[in-house]
Amino acid sequence: MERGLLVELSRNEESALGRISVGIGQSEMRPRDVARLKLLALVEMRGSAVVLTPIGVRRIAKLPDVGSGRA
């Protein structure tokens, strides 16, 4: 199983992952949160945009309150 699915994320990292999932640009997030998400292979750069990887899509589906306003 991929590490990105197992490792605990901080509240800020979870928030950044949720924001990325709805298309909010990385300029709205802390660079270190985005960097860690990249390190865990949850997000990647496509051109100038940060997008979810397949692992990131699976991780976002596991978050308990996606859609509750936190993401």
Side-chain angles (χ1 to χ4, degrees):
M1 186 174 272
E2 294 90 353
R3 183 172 177 238
L5 292 173
L6 299 174
V7 74
E8 187 172 338
L9 299 177
S10 72
R11 184 177 209 131
N12 288 333
E13 291 163 347
E14 282 185 3
S15 179
L17 188 63
R19 289 169 160 243
I20 291 166
S21 76
V22 296
I24 295 174
Q26 69 179 335
S27 64
E28 302 293 321
M29 294 164 245
R30 295 188 326 181
R32 71 178 180 200
D33 295 333
V34 176
R36 182 149 188 262
L37 296 175
K38 288 178 186 175
L39 180 69
L40 295 171
L42 296 172
V43 301
E44 65 186 9
M45 294 300 298
R46 285 203 196 133
S48 62
V50 179
V51 298
L52 296 178
T53 63
I55 298 168
V57 171
R58 289 170 47 200
R59 181 66 186 250
I60 204 81
K62 295 174 115 184
L63 293 178
D65 53 358
V66 172
S68 70
R70 185 167 73 157

